[in-house]
Amino acid sequence: MTYAFFPGCSLAHTASAYADSIGAVAERLGLDLAEIEDWNCCGATEYSAIELLPAYALVARNLALVNGDLSQVVAPCSLCYVNLRRTQQALRERETLRAQVDDALAAGGLSYQPGHLSVRHLLDVVVNDVGLGTIASNIVRPLYGLRIAPYYGCLTVRPAKGFDDPEQPESLDRLLRALGAEVVDFPLKADCCGGHMTQISADVAYGLLRRLLQNATDRGADLVVTVCPMCQLNLDAYQDRVNRHCGTDFHLPVLFFTQAVGLALGLSPEALGLGKEIVPAQQVLRAKWSTEPSPAPEQPRRPHRRRRDPTLPMPEARSVRHG
Amino acid sequence: MTKGNTRDPPSFPAEVMNAVLGGDALRRCFQCGACGGSCPSAADMNHSPSRLFAMIRAGLRNEVLRSNTPWYCVACYYCAVRCPQEIPITDLMYGLKRLSIQQGLCEEVDAADFSRTFIGSVERYGRSFELGLATRYHLTHRPLGLPKLAPTGLGMLLKGRMALRPHRIKDIKGLRAILSRARVLERVR
Ligand code: SF4
Ligand code: SF4
Protein backbone atom coordinates (compact mmCIF):
# COMPACT_ATOMS: atom_id res chain seq x y z
CA MET A 1 0.00 0.00 0.00
CA THR A 2 1.12 3.56 -0.71
CA TYR A 3 0.64 6.19 1.99
CA ALA A 4 0.26 9.91 1.38
CA PHE A 5 3.10 11.43 3.38
CA PHE A 6 2.81 14.77 5.17
CA PRO A 7 6.38 15.57 6.34
CA GLY A 8 5.63 18.84 8.16
CA CYS A 9 7.91 21.89 8.29
CA SER A 10 10.39 20.66 10.89
CA LEU A 11 11.54 17.70 8.80
CA ALA A 12 13.28 20.06 6.39
CA HIS A 13 15.22 21.80 9.14
CA THR A 14 15.32 21.07 12.87
CA ALA A 15 14.36 17.42 12.44
CA SER A 16 16.38 16.62 9.33
CA ALA A 17 17.72 13.54 11.15
CA TYR A 18 14.13 12.32 11.35
CA ALA A 19 13.74 12.85 7.60
CA ASP A 20 17.01 10.99 6.88
CA SER A 21 16.12 8.03 9.04
CA ILE A 22 12.51 7.81 7.83
CA GLY A 23 13.77 7.65 4.25
CA ALA A 24 16.36 4.97 5.00
CA VAL A 25 14.08 2.82 7.15
CA ALA A 26 11.09 3.08 4.81
CA GLU A 27 13.24 1.91 1.92
CA ARG A 28 14.60 -1.05 3.87
CA LEU A 29 11.16 -2.10 5.10
CA GLY A 30 9.37 -1.51 1.80
CA LEU A 31 7.16 1.21 3.26
CA ASP A 32 5.91 3.33 0.37
CA LEU A 33 5.55 7.01 1.35
CA ALA A 34 4.44 9.46 -1.36
CA GLU A 35 4.92 13.08 -0.28
CA ILE A 36 1.83 15.27 -0.73
CA GLU A 37 2.51 17.68 -3.58
CA ASP A 38 2.98 21.33 -2.48
CA TRP A 39 1.73 20.77 1.07
CA ASN A 40 1.65 23.71 3.52
CA CYS A 41 2.28 24.21 7.25
CA CYS A 42 -0.36 22.69 9.57
CA GLY A 43 -0.45 25.84 11.72
CA ALA A 44 1.11 24.15 14.77
CA THR A 45 -0.47 25.45 17.97
CA GLU A 46 -0.40 29.02 16.68
CA TYR A 47 -3.05 29.40 14.00
CA SER A 48 -5.93 28.36 16.25
CA ALA A 49 -4.82 30.97 18.79
CA ILE A 50 -5.59 33.72 16.30
CA GLU A 51 -8.31 32.53 13.93
CA LEU A 52 -10.69 29.58 13.81
CA LEU A 53 -11.95 29.06 10.26
CA PRO A 54 -8.63 29.90 8.53
CA ALA A 55 -6.93 27.40 10.87
CA TYR A 56 -9.23 24.64 9.61
CA ALA A 57 -8.94 25.77 5.97
CA LEU A 58 -5.14 25.78 6.25
CA VAL A 59 -5.11 22.12 7.27
CA ALA A 60 -7.91 21.16 4.88
CA ARG A 61 -5.84 22.37 1.92
CA ASN A 62 -3.39 19.56 2.68
CA LEU A 63 -6.16 16.98 2.87
CA ALA A 64 -7.54 18.29 -0.43
CA LEU A 65 -4.13 17.82 -2.06
CA VAL A 66 -3.96 14.11 -1.22
CA ASN A 67 -3.97 11.97 -4.34
CA GLY A 68 -7.53 10.62 -4.67
CA ASP A 69 -6.30 7.02 -5.05
CA LEU A 70 -4.81 6.99 -1.57
CA SER A 71 -6.77 6.33 1.59
CA GLN A 72 -4.20 6.92 4.32
CA VAL A 73 -2.28 10.05 5.27
CA VAL A 74 0.70 9.57 7.54
CA ALA A 75 2.45 12.26 9.56
CA PRO A 76 5.71 11.76 11.48
CA CYS A 77 5.15 14.87 13.62
CA SER A 78 2.66 14.56 16.45
CA LEU A 79 1.56 18.16 16.13
CA CYS A 80 0.85 17.80 12.39
CA TYR A 81 -0.84 14.48 13.12
CA VAL A 82 -3.20 15.97 15.68
CA ASN A 83 -4.05 18.96 13.46
CA LEU A 84 -4.79 16.75 10.45
CA ARG A 85 -6.75 14.33 12.60
CA ARG A 86 -8.82 16.98 14.38
CA THR A 87 -9.61 18.76 11.14
CA GLN A 88 -10.63 15.56 9.39
CA GLN A 89 -12.85 14.66 12.35
CA ALA A 90 -14.42 18.13 12.65
CA LEU A 91 -15.16 18.22 8.91
CA ARG A 92 -16.74 14.80 9.12
CA GLU A 93 -18.96 15.71 12.06
CA ARG A 94 -19.94 19.31 11.25
CA GLU A 95 -21.85 20.14 8.13
CA THR A 96 -21.63 23.93 8.40
CA LEU A 97 -17.90 23.82 8.92
CA ARG A 98 -17.55 21.45 5.98
CA ALA A 99 -19.47 23.82 3.69
CA GLN A 100 -17.51 26.88 4.83
CA VAL A 101 -14.14 25.19 4.50
CA ASP A 102 -15.05 23.93 1.06
CA ASP A 103 -16.14 27.44 0.07
CA ALA A 104 -12.74 28.77 1.22
CA LEU A 105 -10.86 26.01 -0.61
CA ALA A 106 -12.72 26.88 -3.80
CA ALA A 107 -11.01 30.30 -3.72
CA GLY A 108 -7.76 28.40 -4.27
CA GLY A 109 -9.23 26.07 -6.89
CA LEU A 110 -9.57 23.10 -4.50
CA SER A 111 -12.35 21.10 -2.95
CA TYR A 112 -12.51 18.58 -0.14
CA GLN A 113 -15.10 16.15 1.15
CA PRO A 114 -13.95 14.07 4.11
CA GLY A 115 -14.84 10.60 2.99
CA HIS A 116 -12.49 7.70 3.09
CA LEU A 117 -9.24 9.33 4.24
CA SER A 118 -7.77 8.21 7.51
CA VAL A 119 -5.03 10.11 9.29
CA ARG A 120 -2.27 8.08 10.92
CA HIS A 121 0.86 8.72 12.97
CA LEU A 122 4.04 7.18 11.57
CA LEU A 123 4.55 5.20 14.79
CA ASP A 124 1.12 3.61 14.33
CA VAL A 125 1.92 2.66 10.72
CA VAL A 126 5.33 1.20 11.61
CA VAL A 127 4.08 -0.82 14.60
CA ASN A 128 0.67 -1.88 13.32
CA ASP A 129 0.94 -1.98 9.51
CA VAL A 130 4.56 -2.86 8.83
CA GLY A 131 4.35 -4.90 12.02
CA LEU A 132 6.80 -6.04 14.66
CA GLY A 133 7.17 -9.43 12.98
CA THR A 134 8.47 -7.94 9.73
CA ILE A 135 10.76 -5.61 11.62
CA ALA A 136 12.10 -8.41 13.84
CA SER A 137 12.87 -10.57 10.81
CA ASN A 138 14.96 -7.74 9.31
CA ILE A 139 17.05 -7.05 12.39
CA VAL A 140 20.78 -7.30 11.79
CA ARG A 141 22.17 -5.74 14.93
CA PRO A 142 19.75 -5.89 17.92
CA LEU A 143 19.92 -2.97 20.36
CA TYR A 144 21.21 -5.18 23.17
CA GLY A 145 22.54 -3.42 26.24
CA LEU A 146 20.80 -0.10 25.56
CA ARG A 147 18.38 1.13 28.21
CA ILE A 148 15.86 3.31 26.47
CA ALA A 149 13.14 5.61 27.82
CA PRO A 150 10.26 5.55 25.32
CA TYR A 151 8.89 9.08 25.05
CA TYR A 152 5.54 9.59 23.31
CA GLY A 153 4.79 13.15 24.35
CA CYS A 154 1.22 14.33 24.46
CA LEU A 155 -0.20 14.66 20.96
CA THR A 156 0.84 11.23 19.71
CA VAL A 157 -1.85 9.65 21.85
CA ARG A 158 -4.17 12.52 22.77
CA PRO A 159 -6.96 13.53 22.32
CA ALA A 160 -8.37 10.08 23.03
CA LYS A 161 -9.66 7.51 20.53
CA GLY A 162 -6.35 7.33 18.69
CA PHE A 163 -4.23 4.25 18.12
CA ASP A 164 -2.97 3.76 21.67
CA ASP A 165 -3.90 4.40 25.29
CA PRO A 166 -4.04 8.19 25.89
CA GLU A 167 -2.20 8.00 29.22
CA GLN A 168 -0.12 4.81 29.31
CA PRO A 169 0.65 3.99 25.68
CA GLU A 170 2.59 0.82 24.84
CA SER A 171 3.31 0.74 21.09
CA LEU A 172 6.75 2.36 21.24
CA ASP A 173 7.66 0.16 24.24
CA ARG A 174 6.76 -2.92 22.21
CA LEU A 175 8.69 -1.72 19.18
CA LEU A 176 11.85 -0.98 21.17
CA ARG A 177 11.63 -4.34 22.92
CA ALA A 178 11.32 -6.03 19.53
CA LEU A 179 14.52 -4.25 18.52
CA GLY A 180 16.29 -5.89 21.46
CA ALA A 181 16.56 -2.79 23.65
CA GLU A 182 15.82 -2.75 27.33
CA VAL A 183 12.83 -0.49 27.84
CA VAL A 184 12.84 1.39 31.13
CA ASP A 185 9.63 2.05 32.97
CA PHE A 186 9.07 5.75 32.24
CA PRO A 187 5.98 7.07 34.03
CA LEU A 188 6.09 10.47 32.32
CA LYS A 189 6.23 8.94 28.85
CA ALA A 190 3.06 10.67 27.68
CA ASP A 191 3.61 14.01 29.44
CA CYS A 192 4.08 17.21 27.50
CA CYS A 193 7.49 18.61 26.43
CA GLY A 194 6.11 22.14 26.62
CA GLY A 195 5.72 22.71 22.88
CA HIS A 196 6.46 26.32 22.01
CA MET A 197 6.67 27.30 25.69
CA THR A 198 10.46 27.76 25.39
CA GLN A 199 9.65 30.90 23.41
CA ILE A 200 7.10 32.20 25.93
CA SER A 201 8.23 31.42 29.46
CA ALA A 202 11.58 29.87 30.33
CA ASP A 203 10.45 28.98 33.85
CA VAL A 204 7.45 26.97 32.70
CA ALA A 205 9.26 25.34 29.77
CA TYR A 206 12.45 24.37 31.57
CA GLY A 207 10.40 23.11 34.51
CA LEU A 208 8.50 20.70 32.26
CA LEU A 209 11.68 19.56 30.49
CA ARG A 210 13.52 19.07 33.75
CA ARG A 211 10.81 16.75 35.09
CA LEU A 212 11.06 14.59 31.98
CA LEU A 213 14.85 14.43 31.94
CA GLN A 214 14.95 13.73 35.69
CA ASN A 215 12.40 10.94 35.41
CA ALA A 216 14.23 9.25 32.53
CA THR A 217 17.60 9.62 34.30
CA ASP A 218 16.23 8.27 37.60
CA ARG A 219 14.98 5.20 35.76
CA GLY A 220 18.47 4.55 34.45
CA ALA A 221 17.91 5.40 30.80
CA ASP A 222 20.95 5.70 28.48
CA LEU A 223 18.85 7.25 25.75
CA VAL A 224 15.45 8.79 25.17
CA VAL A 225 13.63 7.86 21.99
CA THR A 226 10.95 10.21 20.65
CA VAL A 227 8.33 10.14 17.91
CA CYS A 228 7.93 13.90 17.40
CA PRO A 229 10.25 16.69 16.14
CA MET A 230 9.01 19.14 18.77
CA CYS A 231 9.76 16.73 21.62
CA GLN A 232 13.19 15.95 20.18
CA LEU A 233 14.03 19.63 19.72
CA ASN A 234 12.96 20.60 23.22
CA LEU A 235 14.64 17.74 25.06
CA ASP A 236 17.83 17.86 22.99
CA ALA A 237 18.53 21.45 21.94
CA TYR A 238 17.35 22.94 25.23
CA GLN A 239 18.98 20.37 27.54
CA ASP A 240 21.99 22.60 28.08
CA ARG A 241 19.76 25.55 28.98
CA VAL A 242 17.75 23.39 31.36
CA ASN A 243 21.02 22.41 33.04
CA ARG A 244 22.10 26.02 33.42
CA HIS A 245 18.68 27.26 34.48
CA CYS A 246 17.96 24.48 36.99
CA GLY A 247 21.51 23.68 38.11
CA THR A 248 21.21 20.10 36.85
CA ASP A 249 23.70 18.00 34.92
CA PHE A 250 21.78 15.94 32.38
CA HIS A 251 23.57 14.30 29.46
CA LEU A 252 20.80 12.34 27.87
CA PRO A 253 20.91 11.84 24.09
CA VAL A 254 17.51 12.04 22.43
CA LEU A 255 16.97 10.10 19.19
CA PHE A 256 14.05 9.62 16.83
CA PHE A 257 12.43 6.19 16.88
CA THR A 258 13.29 5.68 13.22
CA GLN A 259 16.98 6.14 14.08
CA ALA A 260 16.68 3.35 16.66
CA VAL A 261 14.90 1.12 14.13
CA GLY A 262 17.54 1.92 11.49
CA LEU A 263 20.44 1.05 13.79
CA ALA A 264 18.89 -2.33 14.53
CA LEU A 265 18.34 -2.88 10.80
CA GLY A 266 22.07 -2.40 10.32
CA LEU A 267 21.83 0.90 8.43
CA SER A 268 24.80 3.26 8.68
CA PRO A 269 24.70 6.02 11.31
CA GLU A 270 25.25 8.63 8.57
CA ALA A 271 22.27 7.42 6.57
CA LEU A 272 20.19 7.78 9.74
CA GLY A 273 21.26 11.36 10.48
CA LEU A 274 23.11 10.36 13.63
CA GLY A 275 25.39 13.09 14.87
CA LYS A 276 22.89 15.85 14.18
CA GLU A 277 21.66 15.69 17.77
CA ILE A 278 23.06 18.38 20.07
CA VAL A 279 23.67 15.98 22.97
CA PRO A 280 25.74 13.39 21.11
CA ALA A 281 24.59 9.78 21.18
CA GLN A 282 27.83 8.35 19.85
CA GLN A 283 29.53 7.87 23.24
CA VAL A 284 26.57 6.05 24.77
CA LEU A 285 26.22 3.84 21.72
CA ARG A 286 29.88 2.96 21.78
CA ALA A 287 29.91 2.25 25.53
CA LYS A 288 26.59 0.45 25.99
CA TRP A 289 25.50 -1.11 22.71
CA SER A 290 26.54 -4.72 22.97
CA THR A 291 26.38 -7.79 20.77
CA GLU A 292 24.97 -9.91 23.58
CA PRO A 293 21.63 -9.59 25.33
CA SER A 294 22.20 -8.22 28.82
CA PRO A 295 22.33 -11.09 31.33
CA ALA A 296 20.40 -9.25 34.05
CA PRO A 297 16.68 -9.98 33.97
CA GLU A 298 14.42 -7.03 33.26
CA GLN A 299 13.58 -4.96 36.30
CA PRO A 300 10.42 -6.21 37.98
CA ARG A 301 7.45 -4.32 36.67
CA ARG A 302 4.41 -3.46 38.66
CA PRO A 303 1.38 -5.48 37.55
CA HIS A 304 -0.50 -3.61 34.90
CA ARG A 305 -4.06 -2.69 35.83
CA ARG A 306 -6.47 -3.13 33.01
CA ARG A 307 -8.43 0.03 32.22
CA ARG A 308 -11.83 -1.49 32.60
CA ASP A 309 -10.96 -3.31 35.78
CA PRO A 310 -13.75 -2.18 38.16
CA THR A 311 -11.84 -2.98 41.36
CA LEU A 312 -9.95 -0.48 43.44
CA PRO A 313 -6.19 -1.03 43.62
CA MET A 314 -6.47 -3.03 46.85
CA PRO A 315 -4.22 -5.82 48.07
CA GLU A 316 -5.68 -9.09 46.88
CA ALA A 317 -5.59 -10.85 50.26
CA ARG A 318 -8.94 -12.56 50.16
CA SER A 319 -10.97 -13.54 47.17
CA VAL A 320 -13.35 -10.73 46.36
CA ARG A 321 -16.44 -11.25 44.31
CA HIS A 322 -17.90 -8.67 42.00
CA GLY A 323 -21.43 -8.33 40.81
CA MET B 1 -29.73 44.80 33.06
CA THR B 2 -28.16 45.75 36.37
CA LYS B 3 -26.28 48.99 36.40
CA GLY B 4 -23.21 49.74 38.48
CA ASN B 5 -22.47 46.06 38.74
CA THR B 6 -18.91 45.03 37.94
CA ARG B 7 -20.22 41.88 36.32
CA ASP B 8 -21.06 41.78 32.65
CA PRO B 9 -24.47 40.90 31.30
CA PRO B 10 -24.84 37.12 31.07
CA SER B 11 -23.95 37.10 27.40
CA PHE B 12 -20.30 36.38 28.14
CA PRO B 13 -20.65 32.60 28.69
CA ALA B 14 -22.62 32.35 25.44
CA GLU B 15 -19.92 34.31 23.65
CA VAL B 16 -17.24 31.90 24.85
CA MET B 17 -19.29 28.84 23.94
CA ASN B 18 -19.94 30.25 20.47
CA ALA B 19 -16.28 30.88 19.85
CA VAL B 20 -15.51 27.16 19.89
CA LEU B 21 -16.88 24.21 17.92
CA GLY B 22 -18.82 22.16 20.45
CA GLY B 23 -18.22 24.85 23.05
CA ASP B 24 -21.72 24.61 24.53
CA ALA B 25 -20.48 21.49 26.33
CA LEU B 26 -19.09 23.96 28.86
CA ARG B 27 -22.60 24.01 30.35
CA ARG B 28 -21.98 20.51 31.64
CA CYS B 29 -18.94 21.46 33.75
CA PHE B 30 -19.65 20.42 37.33
CA GLN B 31 -16.41 21.77 38.80
CA CYS B 32 -14.79 18.47 39.69
CA GLY B 33 -11.34 20.00 39.20
CA ALA B 34 -9.92 17.05 37.23
CA CYS B 35 -8.68 19.44 34.53
CA GLY B 36 -6.65 21.62 36.88
CA GLY B 37 -5.29 18.55 38.65
CA SER B 38 -4.01 17.13 35.34
CA CYS B 39 -2.58 20.32 33.91
CA PRO B 40 1.22 20.51 33.69
CA SER B 41 1.11 24.33 33.62
CA ALA B 42 -1.45 24.82 36.41
CA ALA B 43 1.16 26.04 38.91
CA ASP B 44 2.02 28.96 36.65
CA MET B 45 -1.51 29.90 35.68
CA ASN B 46 -3.19 32.66 37.62
CA HIS B 47 -6.45 30.67 37.56
CA SER B 48 -6.74 26.91 37.18
CA PRO B 49 -8.81 25.79 34.17
CA SER B 50 -11.76 24.76 36.36
CA ARG B 51 -11.74 28.08 38.21
CA LEU B 52 -11.61 29.90 34.88
CA PHE B 53 -14.73 28.01 33.79
CA ALA B 54 -16.54 29.03 36.95
CA MET B 55 -15.50 32.62 36.28
CA ILE B 56 -16.85 32.41 32.74
CA ARG B 57 -20.18 31.28 34.08
CA ALA B 58 -20.15 34.15 36.55
CA GLY B 59 -19.69 36.51 33.60
CA LEU B 60 -16.31 37.85 34.71
CA ARG B 61 -15.25 38.91 31.22
CA ASN B 62 -12.34 41.13 32.17
CA GLU B 63 -10.76 38.77 34.64
CA VAL B 64 -11.13 35.81 32.29
CA LEU B 65 -9.85 37.47 29.14
CA ARG B 66 -6.95 39.11 30.96
CA SER B 67 -5.91 35.82 32.54
CA ASN B 68 -2.68 34.12 31.53
CA THR B 69 -4.33 30.69 31.77
CA PRO B 70 -5.07 30.11 28.06
CA TRP B 71 -1.62 31.39 27.11
CA TYR B 72 0.12 29.01 29.47
CA CYS B 73 -1.88 26.10 28.07
CA VAL B 74 0.52 23.92 26.10
CA ALA B 75 -2.34 22.08 24.35
CA CYS B 76 -1.41 18.68 25.78
CA TYR B 77 -5.05 17.45 26.02
CA TYR B 78 -4.52 15.86 29.44
CA CYS B 79 -7.53 17.72 30.80
CA ALA B 80 -9.62 16.81 27.77
CA VAL B 81 -9.06 13.05 28.11
CA ARG B 82 -9.71 13.18 31.85
CA CYS B 83 -12.75 15.47 31.95
CA PRO B 84 -15.68 13.26 32.96
CA GLN B 85 -18.03 15.60 31.08
CA GLU B 86 -16.10 15.39 27.80
CA ILE B 87 -15.70 19.14 27.56
CA PRO B 88 -13.31 20.23 24.75
CA ILE B 89 -11.13 22.15 27.20
CA THR B 90 -8.12 22.58 24.92
CA ASP B 91 -10.34 24.04 22.19
CA LEU B 92 -11.88 26.38 24.76
CA MET B 93 -8.38 27.60 25.67
CA TYR B 94 -7.74 28.38 22.01
CA GLY B 95 -11.11 30.15 21.84
CA LEU B 96 -10.28 32.27 24.90
CA LYS B 97 -7.00 33.31 23.29
CA ARG B 98 -8.88 34.48 20.20
CA LEU B 99 -11.48 36.38 22.24
CA SER B 100 -8.87 38.07 24.41
CA ILE B 101 -7.04 39.36 21.34
CA GLN B 102 -10.22 40.40 19.52
CA GLN B 103 -11.46 42.33 22.52
CA GLY B 104 -8.12 43.96 23.22
CA LEU B 105 -7.86 42.45 26.69
CA CYS B 106 -4.91 40.14 26.13
CA GLU B 107 -2.14 40.81 28.63
CA GLU B 108 0.19 38.07 27.44
CA VAL B 109 1.52 40.27 24.67
CA ASP B 110 4.65 38.21 24.00
CA ALA B 111 2.77 34.97 23.57
CA ALA B 112 0.17 36.54 21.29
CA ASP B 113 2.89 38.16 19.20
CA PHE B 114 4.68 34.86 18.88
CA SER B 115 1.53 33.30 17.44
CA ARG B 116 1.04 36.27 15.10
CA THR B 117 4.65 36.14 13.90
CA PHE B 118 4.25 32.44 13.27
CA ILE B 119 1.11 32.75 11.19
CA GLY B 120 2.70 35.69 9.36
CA SER B 121 5.46 33.35 8.23
CA VAL B 122 2.90 30.78 7.12
CA GLU B 123 1.05 33.41 5.06
CA ARG B 124 4.27 34.60 3.48
CA TYR B 125 5.80 31.22 2.61
CA GLY B 126 3.20 28.54 3.25
CA ARG B 127 5.67 26.97 5.63
CA SER B 128 6.99 27.92 9.04
CA PHE B 129 10.58 29.02 9.15
CA GLU B 130 12.33 28.56 12.48
CA LEU B 131 15.36 30.76 12.02
CA GLY B 132 13.43 33.67 10.59
CA LEU B 133 10.78 33.19 13.19
CA ALA B 134 13.16 33.04 16.11
CA THR B 135 15.19 36.00 14.91
CA ARG B 136 12.30 38.23 13.97
CA TYR B 137 10.45 37.42 17.15
CA HIS B 138 13.44 37.97 19.38
CA LEU B 139 14.52 41.12 17.58
CA THR B 140 11.13 42.74 17.85
CA HIS B 141 10.22 41.52 21.28
CA ARG B 142 13.28 40.58 23.22
CA PRO B 143 16.34 42.23 21.78
CA LEU B 144 18.14 41.41 25.00
CA GLY B 145 17.09 37.79 24.74
CA LEU B 146 18.97 37.26 21.49
CA PRO B 147 22.37 36.44 23.02
CA LYS B 148 20.60 33.77 25.07
CA LEU B 149 19.14 32.28 21.93
CA ALA B 150 22.44 32.23 20.11
CA PRO B 151 24.18 29.13 21.54
CA THR B 152 21.30 26.84 20.66
CA GLY B 153 20.75 28.54 17.32
CA LEU B 154 24.42 28.38 16.44
CA GLY B 155 24.76 24.72 17.37
CA MET B 156 21.73 23.95 15.26
CA LEU B 157 23.12 25.86 12.28
CA LEU B 158 26.42 24.01 12.49
CA LYS B 159 24.64 20.70 12.59
CA GLY B 160 22.60 21.66 9.54
CA ARG B 161 19.38 21.78 11.49
CA MET B 162 18.31 25.32 10.67
CA ALA B 163 17.69 26.59 7.18
CA LEU B 164 19.13 29.96 6.25
CA ARG B 165 16.46 30.58 3.66
CA PRO B 166 12.76 29.83 3.84
CA HIS B 167 11.08 27.49 1.41
CA ARG B 168 8.07 28.96 -0.37
CA ILE B 169 5.34 26.63 -1.58
CA LYS B 170 4.50 26.77 -5.29
CA ASP B 171 0.87 27.80 -5.04
CA ILE B 172 1.29 30.46 -2.36
CA LYS B 173 -1.30 32.58 -4.18
CA GLY B 174 -3.86 29.81 -3.91
CA LEU B 175 -3.14 29.38 -0.20
CA ARG B 176 -3.51 33.11 0.45
CA ALA B 177 -6.80 33.18 -1.46
CA ILE B 178 -8.08 30.29 0.67
CA LEU B 179 -7.08 32.00 3.91
CA SER B 180 -8.59 35.35 3.00
CA ARG B 181 -11.86 33.73 1.90
CA ALA B 182 -11.93 31.81 5.20
CA ARG B 183 -11.39 35.08 7.04
CA VAL B 184 -14.38 36.65 5.29
CA LEU B 185 -16.55 33.65 6.11
CA GLU B 186 -15.39 33.74 9.72
CA ARG B 187 -16.70 37.28 10.08
CA VAL B 188 -20.21 36.28 9.06
CA ARG B 189 -20.12 33.07 11.09
S1 SF4 C 1 -12.66 18.27 34.35
FE1 SF4 C 1 -14.41 18.91 33.12
S2 SF4 C 1 -16.17 18.87 34.51
FE2 SF4 C 1 -14.31 18.78 35.79
S3 SF4 C 1 -13.93 20.95 36.32
FE3 SF4 C 1 -12.72 20.51 34.47
S4 SF4 C 1 -14.07 21.10 32.77
FE4 SF4 C 1 -15.35 20.95 34.60
S1 SF4 D 1 -4.51 21.10 27.36
FE1 SF4 D 1 -3.91 23.02 28.34
S2 SF4 D 1 -5.34 23.30 30.03
FE2 SF4 D 1 -5.46 21.17 29.39
S3 SF4 D 1 -4.06 20.08 30.74
FE3 SF4 D 1 -2.91 20.59 28.87
S4 SF4 D 1 -1.95 22.57 29.31
FE4 SF4 D 1 -3.55 22.27 30.86
Side-chain angles (χ1 to χ4, degrees), chain A residues 37-38 48 51 167 241, chain B residues 82 98 115 148 170 183:
Chain A
E37 184 69 28
D38 208 36
S48 299
E51 301 170 305
E167 299 202 32
R241 298 265 199 96
Chain B
R82 287 183 175 171
R98 295 192 292 269
S115 295
K148 274 194 270 155
K170 279 186 236 145
R183 223 159 264 146

Side-chain angles (χ1 to χ4, degrees), chain A residues 226-290:
Chain A
T226 69
V227 299
C228 170
M230 193 82 221
C231 299
Q232 201 281 340
L233 178 74
N234 279 341
L235 285 172
D236 179 33
Y238 285 93
Q239 202 172 119
D240 181 42
R241 298 265 199 96
V242 172
N243 282 337
R244 273 186 276 151
H245 190 87
C246 308
T248 48
D249 190 24
F250 298 117
H251 292 282
L252 207 51
V254 186
L255 296 182
F256 291 105
F257 83 103
T258 39
Q259 292 181 298
V261 173
L263 287 173
L265 295 179
L267 298 166
S268 80
E270 299 75 49
L272 299 168
L274 254 97
K276 288 184 180 175
E277 66 282 357
I278 304 283
V279 180
Q282 202 188 18
Q283 248 172 317
V284 165
L285 292 177
R286 212 185 289 137
K288 301 281 174 76
W289 191 9
S290 104

Side-chain angles (χ1 to χ4, degrees), chain A residues 8-10 12-17 35 37-41 43-58 61 79 82-83 86 90 94 97 99-101 103-110 154-155 157-161 166-168 187 190-192 194-204 208 211 229 232-233 236-238 240-241 244 256 275-280, chain B residues 18-23 40-41 44 71-82 86 90-91 94-99 101-102 108 110-116 118-120 122-123 126-130 133-134 137-138 142 147-153 155-156 159-175 177-179 181-189:
Chain A
C9 301
S10 23
H13 314 307
T14 52
S16 60
E35 182 167 336
E37 184 69 28
D38 208 36
W39 56 271
N40 57 259
C41 173
T45 45
E46 312 314 320
Y47 233 100
S48 299
I50 308 289
E51 301 170 305
L52 183 70
L53 201 52
Y56 281 110
L58 182 77
R61 178 176 178 273
L79 196 43
V82 94
N83 279 336
R86 282 173 67 231
R94 296 173 190 279
L97 179 73
Q100 286 178 322
V101 164
D103 183 335
L105 288 175
L110 293 170
C154 44
L155 302 177
V157 289
R158 287 193 296 277
K161 303 196 182 83
E167 299 202 32
Q168 285 299 317
D191 272 30
C192 182
H196 75 189
M197 199 44 82
T198 47
Q199 306 292 313
I200 311 289
S201 161
D203 281 336
V204 181
L208 292 171
R211 279 179 69 224
Q232 201 281 340
L233 178 74
D236 179 33
Y238 285 93
D240 181 42
R241 298 265 199 96
R244 273 186 276 151
F256 291 105
K276 288 184 180 175
E277 66 282 357
I278 304 283
V279 180
Chain B
N18 284 334
V20 177
L21 299 178
S41 303
D44 297 284
W71 298 99
Y72 276 24
C73 166
V74 289
C76 73
Y77 290 89
Y78 244 130
C79 53
V81 301
R82 287 183 175 171
E86 299 188 6
T90 317
D91 292 345
Y94 279 127
L96 290 168
K97 289 184 187 183
R98 295 192 292 269
L99 286 179
I101 294 178
Q102 283 159 18
E108 290 299 313
D110 279 3
D113 281 343
F114 178 78
S115 295
R116 267 197 223 100
F118 187 99
I119 79 167
V122 175
E123 287 237 34
R127 300 271 169 92
S128 58
F129 172 49
E130 297 98 345
L133 182 65
Y137 172 73
H138 279 267
R142 306 183 169 179
K148 274 194 270 155
L149 176 93
T152 314
M156 305 273 288
K159 300 224 175 193
R161 285 177 60 173
M162 270 195 168
L164 290 168
R165 237 168 268 112
H167 172 93
R168 178 172 277 151
I169 64 167
K170 279 186 236 145
D171 190 18
I172 186 72
K173 275 196 193 135
L175 174 63
I178 291 170
L179 294 174
R181 178 70 187 144
R183 223 159 264 146
V184 171
L185 291 166
E186 171 133 282
R187 252 172 260 136
V188 301
R189 201 172 71 93

